[in-house]
């Protein structure tokens, strides 16, 4: 574990400021911090190794999806269904993994739409599961999410990571945050290099319904 990451997270998670006498709560938080840092660091390493063209906003999106799920594109279920069918009709490549966890908690999975195109998962099975994945989810408040993202961003900085157009992305996201908008889209660089067509499915629905169909097709 990078000592710099532990120190930063210890400061953020502690109820007292760094440099002050530690309490029992501080000591407990110090034990928790490395575990959180490890999970965040591993998620960042995965992003960079699998998507080297990622910009800062793509990294943000991955972690954001882990807490907000697909709700932002399901405000209009009928429109979401039309858009999904339109995307499935595209002739371009459907690349990327068949599925992967989001963020560092894995609350959701990105599921490749190629599984529908190739008949592994019937559309009539996939779409209801996709819709259901947002039901019952209580997204974090703006304040709660900002605390989480600041924690993640601290690990990004502690690891010394830098991304193309990072300052532009940081400012654009800061402007969104100021307006209470925490939803981000992939960068053009990411979309052009990856061609990853996917939808977000909750972990429970993925493991109970989608994964068995994938395993059965092997």
């Amino acid at each position: 574990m990078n000592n710099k990451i532990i120190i930063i997270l210890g400061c953020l998670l502690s109820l007292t400021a760094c440099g002050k006498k530690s309490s029992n709560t501080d000591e407990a938080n110090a034990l928790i911090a490395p575990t959180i840092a490890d999970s965040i660091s591993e998620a960042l390493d995965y992003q960079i190794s699998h998507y080297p063209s990622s910009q800062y906003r793509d990294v943000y999106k991955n972690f954001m999806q882990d807490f907000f799920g697909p709700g932002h594109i399901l405000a209009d279920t009928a429109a979401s269904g039309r858009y999904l069918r339109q995307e499935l009709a595209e002739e371009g490549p459907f690349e990327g993994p068949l599925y992967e966890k989001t963020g560092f908690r894995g609350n959701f999975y990105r599921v490749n739409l190629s599984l529908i195109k190739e008949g592994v998962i019937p559309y009539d099975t996939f779409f209801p599961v996709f819709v259901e994945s947002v039901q019952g989810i209580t997204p974090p408040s703006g304040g709660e999410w900002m605390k989480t993202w600041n924690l993640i961003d601290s690990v990004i900085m502690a690891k010394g990571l830098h991304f193309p157009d990072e300052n532009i992305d940081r400012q654009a996201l800061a402007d969104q945050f100021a307006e209470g908008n925490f939803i981000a889209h992939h960068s053009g660089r990411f979309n052009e290099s990856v061609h990853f067509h996917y939808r977000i499915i909750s972990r429970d629905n993925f493991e109970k319904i989608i994964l068995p169909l994938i395993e059965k097709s092997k």
Side-chain angles (χ1 to χ4, degrees):
M1 165 62 64
N2 187 313
N3 288 336
K4 188 175 181 181
I5 295 176
I6 295 176
I7 292 171
I8 288 175
L9 290 179
C11 292
L12 288 172
L13 293 174
S14 176
L15 296 179
T16 58
C18 282
K20 292 183 179 181
K21 186 177 180 180
S22 64
S23 64
N24 290 337
T25 301
D26 297 329
E27 292 172 358
N29 284 332
L31 294 175
I32 296 171
T35 301
I36 296 173
D38 278 337
S39 298
I40 295 172
S41 182
E42 288 172 5
L44 289 167
D45 290 342
Y46 178 92
Q47 175 94 17
I48 293 168
S49 64
H50 287 75
Y51 307 108
S53 61
S54 292
Q55 292 187 190
Y56 181 80
R57 68 168 44 254
D58 300 305
V59 174
Y60 172 83
K61 183 177 178 70
N62 181 28
F63 288 100
M64 177 272 293
Q65 287 176 325
D66 197 24
F67 285 80
F68 290 87
H72 63 288
I73 60 173
L74 277 174
D76 185 335
T77 301
S80 296
R82 288 194 300 272
Y83 181 62
L84 176 55
R85 288 189 181 278
Q86 290 172 0
E87 193 167 352
L88 288 169
E90 294 181 12
E91 296 182 357
F94 279 54
E95 299 175 349
L98 294 181
Y99 57 88
E100 65 183 6
K101 292 181 179 180
T102 56
F104 70 95
R105 287 188 173 180
N107 290 321
F108 295 87
Y109 278 80
R110 291 172 169 175
V111 180
N112 200 315
L113 298 186
S114 66
L115 291 167
I116 305 176
K117 285 180 72 73
E118 296 171 4
V120 175
I121 304 171
Y123 178 91
D124 290 341
T125 297
F126 184 89
F127 190 68
V129 170
F130 170 54
V131 173
E132 187 180 333
S133 290
V134 75
Q135 297 175 349
I137 295 171
T138 302
S141 67
E144 290 170 339
W145 171 239
M146 282 292 88
K147 288 180 181 178
T148 300
W149 175 245
N150 288 335
L151 186 65
I152 295 166
D153 199 29
S154 294
V155 178
I156 291 174
M157 292 185 287
K159 288 172 69 71
L161 301 177
H162 298 284
F163 304 92
D165 297 328
E166 181 173 336
N167 290 336
I168 295 174
D169 282 349
R170 282 183 176 275
Q171 185 59 57
L173 289 172
D175 292 342
Q176 285 187 213
F177 299 159
E179 296 177 355
N181 179 9
F182 305 104
I183 305 303
H185 301 288
H186 280 301
S187 67
R189 179 182 281 108
F190 181 94
N191 287 330
E192 290 172 5
S193 65
V194 176
H195 304 294
F196 188 10
H197 298 263
Y198 67 84
R199 288 295 185 275
I200 300 295
I201 303 294
S202 67
R203 178 170 57 203
D204 285 346
N205 281 337
F206 174 80
E207 293 178 351
K208 291 178 181 178
I209 301 172
I210 302 299
L211 185 57
L213 291 175
I214 296 174
E215 296 296 330
K216 184 178 179 180
S217 70
K218 293 181 179 179

